[in-house]
Amino acid sequence: MAVEALTPRPSTAKEASPGRAWWIEPALTVVSYSAFVIYATWSVFDQINVTFYPYVSPFFSTWLGVGLIRIPIIAILLPILAVIPLGLRGSCYYYRKSYFRSFFWDPPACAIQELKRGTYRGETRFPWVLNNYHRYFLVLSLIVLVFLWVDVVRAFTYHGSFFIGLGSLIMLVNVILLSLYTLTCHSLRYLMGGRIDAFSRVRFGTIWHRIVRLLTWANTRHGLYAWISMFSVALTDVYVRLLMAGIIHEPRWIA
Ligand code: FES
């Protein structure tokens, strides 16, 4: 039987995709991620609580404390708490693939050879070792998500009355997108069913099985949710800032 010679792997992205503008996706990724990190860092450390009653920016959703002691607590904790969503995204499996390809070209795509083959240490050294803590960032992010939902419920209340403003709807869409991003996490899928060898042998196995199938189905869209939730967080923050500055006035309806 004839044995076909294996085709050598292309050594560059250009060689693998002749005639295609292969560099557009990595370039867009680099620009978008860099812009988001710069903007989020500036917003968090800006020393202004981005709120416009009854709205609060998602960067400032950790509404801890009571009365007057609220602001100092936020000021002290905010930079620390910002580590949670940052840690989740930085160690996210989708983002890892994305930034290794776009920022480090290591490799730039599946079919492309690595640029150089140095000593591979996996995720055993700082900072990549932090990726091993992804599941802990996930659990903490689920708690943050509860705060965000509380903020959204408050965004529909104006001095005790039911209220709808454009900002309420923007905050609602944002938290839905963040929930989709968080709940389609690979680690959550594993935590919910990865340890179960046979669903038929565990209590409530049918329910577990349905949940895991649902998460598996939704997980295929995780990359999409990663992108749009990143933009929605930034845009919600921008919207509240524009209201604060008096640059825009929104339509509101109070019952
Ligand atoms: Fe992306 Fe967990 S948040 S894999």
Side-chain angles (χ1 to χ4, degrees), residues 2 23 28 38 42 66 80 83 109 118 126 136 165 177 180 192 218 235 240 242 244:
W23 48 270
L28 280 177
I38 291 168
W42 168 77
V66 182
I80 301 171
V83 167
F126 184 83
Y136 301 111
L177 292 173
L180 287 171
M192 296 303 282
L235 289 175
V240 179
L242 290 175
M244 288 172 71

Side-chain angles (χ1 to χ4, degrees), residues 31-50:
V31 171
S32 305
Y33 288 3
S34 304
F36 178 76
V37 169
I38 291 168
Y39 179 79
T41 307
W42 168 77
S43 185
V44 167
F45 287 94
D46 190 31
Q47 296 296 317
I48 295 175
N49 291 308
V50 185

Side-chain angles (χ1 to χ4, degrees), residues 17 24 27 51 69 85 104 156 168 178 187 194 197 201 207 224 235:
S17 312
I24 289 181
T51 62
I69 60 170
F104 307 127
F156 283 88
S168 323
L178 282 172
S187 291
D197 289 331
R201 294 202 192 143
I207 296 173
L224 174 68
L235 289 175

